[in-house]
Amino acid sequence: MKHRVLSILTAGSLAAVCISSVATPFPFFYNSWTARYPASMTDDLLISAGGTGCQVCHQASAGGAPWNPYGFRVRIGWIATGDIDMAMMLAETFDSDNDVTGTSNLDEIAGSTQPGWIPGNDNTVLYADGTPVTNQPAPDCDGDYDPSPIDTRYCSPANVNSTGMPGRIDALGSPEVAQNNVTLAASDLPPGQFGYFLASRTQGMVMPPNSSGFLCVTGNIGRLNSPGMIIQGPSGSTAIDLTAIPINPTSPVMPGESWNFQCWYRDVGNTSNFTDAIEITFS
Ligand SMILES: [Ca+2]
Ligand SMILES: [Ca+2]
């Protein structure tokens, strides 16, 4: 169905609708983008949802200001070099939308997600002078805005903390043990309060004494609280070493195993709390 829509709307006719805020047509930018990334469906998935290819970079379907953070990054390179292909290349290594998986612009384009947009209303757009506008909705898209996270969420949402928000855990990186590339991230924690991550092969759900939240791992629990691994609210992240998870005794993660992670943290009022939890099945 998406392909049917695309066959009707040729690249040329689509590009013609990209009009800047000063009513100058700029099919050049979109044409350059599709020429550099011919296999990417990033633009096509916006188009089939009723938008235009301009929204890969711009908020408005007709282009112009403001830009999403990816488009703004390309714009910086364009202004600096006057070479649109160079500008797109210079933007590739950035993670402009700061998505939960930490995926670079190039990998999002290659994976046909949106390098400049995250799902929901937490997007930021920028005007020509760099003035940001926050809390903007993403344009409609027939695909995913971000790559799939490597984890499965459970025990979610967590009990709210003193900020009024439930703490949240995310995992970035790869579920492939051999890569030893997993970073745990926690967000919406109370500012200034410390916390650390927990690891276990076993899920559970119990509210410990003096806690405001649920502990969702049980059994042989590892505390990732060695120096450098302690985080501080409102958000923090730490890389974990899959060759040595500090359960008792310290054990490596093996391919095929599922492990569960959660973040414990202090909160104001002499209490503590937990984020929600995630399970990662390793390969
Ligand atoms: Ca990204
Ligand atoms: Ca994205």
Side-chain angles (χ1 to χ4, degrees):
M1 172 132 154
K2 286 161 192 163
H3 294 284
R4 250 200 325 271
V5 173
L6 288 171
S7 64
I8 296 164
L9 304 172
T10 66
S13 68
L14 287 168
V17 301
C18 298
I19 309 294
S20 84
S21 56
V22 291
T24 307
F26 274 107
F28 165 71
F29 291 115
Y30 179 56
N31 289 347
S32 301
W33 193 92
T34 54
R36 184 171 178 85
Y37 309 109
S40 177
M41 295 287 285
T42 293
D43 54 334
D44 306 318
L45 292 164
L46 293 169
I47 293 163
S48 65
T52 69
C54 305
Q55 288 165 301
V56 172
C57 292
H58 301 261
Q59 183 173 43
S61 58
W67 291 261
N68 65 35
Y70 166 68
F72 196 77
R73 174 57 59 185
V74 173
R75 185 173 180 273
I76 288 171
W78 165 247
I79 291 169
T81 68
D83 180 336
I84 187 59
D85 209 54
M86 177 68 77
M88 290 187 290
M89 190 198 78
L90 290 172
E92 288 176 347
T93 56
F94 287 87
D95 168 22
S96 289
D97 63 357
N98 196 27
D99 67 279
V100 294
T101 63
T103 303
S104 71
N105 295 334
L106 179 60
D107 285 349
E108 290 218 35
I109 292 166
S112 295
T113 57
Q114 300 298 320
W117 301 110
I118 58 173
N121 298 316
D122 271 344
N123 287 276
T124 298
V125 296
L126 299 110
Y127 281 88
D129 64 356
T131 303
V133 183
T134 57
N135 302 318
Q136 297 298 296
D140 289 342
C141 176
D142 278 345
D144 293 327
Y145 293 95
D146 299 322
S148 295
I150 65 172
D151 54 78
T152 305
R153 189 167 300 281
Y154 71 100
C155 244
S156 186
N159 284 2
V160 297
N161 55 44
S162 61
T163 71
M165 298 284 289
R168 177 186 167 95
I169 185 174
D170 287 286
L172 296 65
S174 168
E176 217 176 298
V177 171
Q179 291 192 27
N180 196 14
N181 173 26
V182 173
T183 294
L184 299 176
S187 54
D188 292 326
L189 309 181
Q193 301 290 322
F194 77 92
Y196 55 80
F197 295 96
L198 307 171
S200 172
R201 293 191 183 92
T202 316
Q203 296 183 2
M205 193 175 182
V206 62
M207 186 178 281
N210 303 317
S211 176
S212 301
F214 288 98
L215 172 65
C216 295
V217 290
T218 188
N220 192 346
I221 299 174
R223 289 167 178 76
L224 305 173
N225 58 359
S226 58
M229 298 188 93
I230 307 277
I231 62 167
Q232 193 175 57
S235 63
S237 63
T238 187
I240 59 175
D241 181 4
L242 299 180
T243 69
I245 303 293
I247 56 173
N248 186 19
T250 297
S251 303
V253 170
M254 302 301 289
E257 286 184 345
S258 291
W259 283 76
N260 308 283
F261 302 94
Q262 192 176 19
C263 179
W264 171 91
Y265 59 93
R266 290 296 304 269
D267 201 352
V268 296
N270 212 17
T271 188
S272 64
N273 206 330
F274 299 89
T275 63
D276 56 0
I278 53 174
E279 176 187 48
I280 301 176
T281 299
F282 290 91
S283 56

